[in-house]
Amino acid sequence: MRFTYAEAMTDPSHYLPLARAAEAAGYTSFSVADSLIYPKESDTSYPYTETGDRSFLEDKAFIETFTLIAAMGAVTERIRFTPFVLKLPVRPPVLVAKQAMSIVGLIGDRLGLGVGLSPWPEDFKAMGVPWERRGKRMDEAIDVLRGLATGEYFEYHGEFFDIPAIKLNPARPVPILVGGHSEPALRRAVVRGDGWMHAGGGDDLDTLLTRIDAIRRAEGKADAPFEVHVISMDAYTPDGVKRLEDKGVTDVIVGFRNPYQKGPDTEPLAKKIEHLERFAETVIAKAD
């Protein structure tokens, strides 16, 4: 089992020392949240809280995802970084490929590219991208990422993207981890991705894992390498970690405060490091 430390919506000055502390404590990955804008008015609800309220985002600092990964990568040597998740279809995929390839060129194979759909039409509008057929746009964007990550000349002619033969340098393949709980998202993770990222919330984890297994079998990929990243209370005890591992989970995502609380994060940096180190001593060390 591998362990991902999750921290978001906190004082930006905390991230670099937290990355160093998580690496020293034995975590495999550090998850990086993605948020673009906060609209003044919206009727859209957040899908991963019980009430759908998203006002917890108000006045929270969000450093651009690849910028934050580059900064944390520069002060660490081994820990991996996993966007959780990058809102892919609102972004130009060639630019995302360039950003991702630049990251791996700087810090090596320490990027697991978590991608997903934004649940908010306002993100699409702000970026000048249609909300309609966003799933198909997402599929094409993943195809473009895959092609450009080879480092060879690549061209693409789809419904949304028409790209002449181009190549990027540096370039190397990166794992693409697809987030989401819907049937199209689960299928996308299996068919186009290298793994799946569970977003937590009220959906039944066992049901989602069973469905992913069924899709993998149907697609002839049951024995292919596949990452499964989950949020679960079972992750906080050695016995629970073993139960998750028996279900095929490869990575657990753990955090030590409620990120959905309104208002600023007032927890001191020293307390955050204390929490992540205690978990490493009581769970990670015993799960090896």
Side-chain angles (χ1 to χ4, degrees):
M1 181 66 75
R2 297 177 298 197
F3 296 85
T4 297
Y5 173 62
E7 181 60 273
M9 295 174 278
T10 190
D11 184 333
S13 69
H14 290 350
Y15 285 112
L16 271 59
L18 285 172
R20 289 192 292 263
E23 179 174 79
Y27 291 79
T28 306
S29 299
F30 194 122
S31 72
V32 181
D34 180 47
S35 183
L36 291 170
I37 52 107
Y38 190 89
K40 184 176 181 180
E41 297 179 358
S42 175
D43 295 328
T44 311
S45 63
Y46 186 64
Y48 301 115
T49 58
E50 291 183 1
T51 64
D53 181 28
R54 67 176 187 178
S55 60
F56 64 90
L57 289 167
E58 182 81 47
D59 297 325
K60 297 289 177 62
F62 272 93
I63 305 300
E64 191 277 323
T65 302
F66 287 116
T67 303
L68 181 54
I69 291 173
M72 292 193 293
V75 299
T76 55
E77 296 179 354
R78 298 178 305 278
I79 198 166
R80 185 191 199 199
F81 299 99
T82 50
F84 185 45
V85 288
L86 189 79
K87 297 173 180 178
L88 180 58
V90 303
R91 291 170 160 93
V94 174
L95 177 59
V96 173
K98 184 63 177 179
Q99 292 171 307
M101 296 303 98
S102 297
I103 291 291
V104 299
L106 289 169
I107 70 172
D109 294 321
R110 293 197 283 145
L111 176 67
L113 188 55
V115 297
L117 287 171
S118 170
W120 299 332
E122 295 86 3
D123 281 336
F124 287 79
K125 185 175 182 179
M127 297 297 287
V129 176
W131 169 256
E132 293 75 21
R133 293 187 57 74
R134 57 198 176 278
K136 175 62 176 174
R137 182 183 294 272
M138 171 93 162
D139 290 341
E140 289 194 11
I142 292 174
D143 292 344
V144 172
L145 291 179
R146 287 270 191 221
L148 291 175
T150 65
E152 303 296 330
Y153 281 104
F154 170 79
E155 62 182 285
Y156 190 87
H157 306 287
E159 179 181 345
F160 298 102
F161 304 108
D162 190 33
I163 300 168
I166 59 173
K167 68 177 178 180
L168 299 182
N169 188 4
R172 68 178 76 173
V174 297
I176 295 177
L177 313 171
V178 178
H181 294 184
S182 68
E183 177 70 14
L186 301 181
R187 183 167 297 281
R188 184 175 295 119
V190 172
V191 174
R192 281 184 160 81
D194 301 294
W196 173 66
M197 301 192 83
H198 172 238
D203 293 341
D204 182 67
L205 177 59
D206 286 347
T207 299
L208 294 169
L209 292 174
T210 298
R211 184 60 191 141
I212 286 175
D213 286 342
I215 297 170
R216 293 180 67 196
R217 289 194 302 271
E219 295 292 332
K221 295 187 174 186
D223 297 323
F226 191 78
E227 299 184 26
V228 178
H229 298 236
V230 307
I231 297 171
S232 170
M233 291 306 298
D234 273 347
Y236 293 87
T237 67
D239 289 344
V241 168
K242 181 62 168 60
R243 288 193 294 272
L244 291 171
E245 197 168 33
D246 290 343
K247 296 175 183 179
V249 173
T250 61
D251 298 73
V252 291
I253 303 166
V254 296
F256 307 105
R257 69 178 181 88
N258 178 9
Y260 300 125
Q261 287 183 332
K262 296 181 182 180
D265 173 22
T266 59
E267 184 177 57
L269 174 62
K271 182 62 68 174
K272 293 181 184 298
I273 293 175
E274 179 185 328
H275 288 319
L276 72 85
E277 289 179 338
R278 182 181 300 116
F279 178 85
E281 294 168 0
T282 58
V283 178
I284 295 179
K286 295 181 180 180
D288 291 340

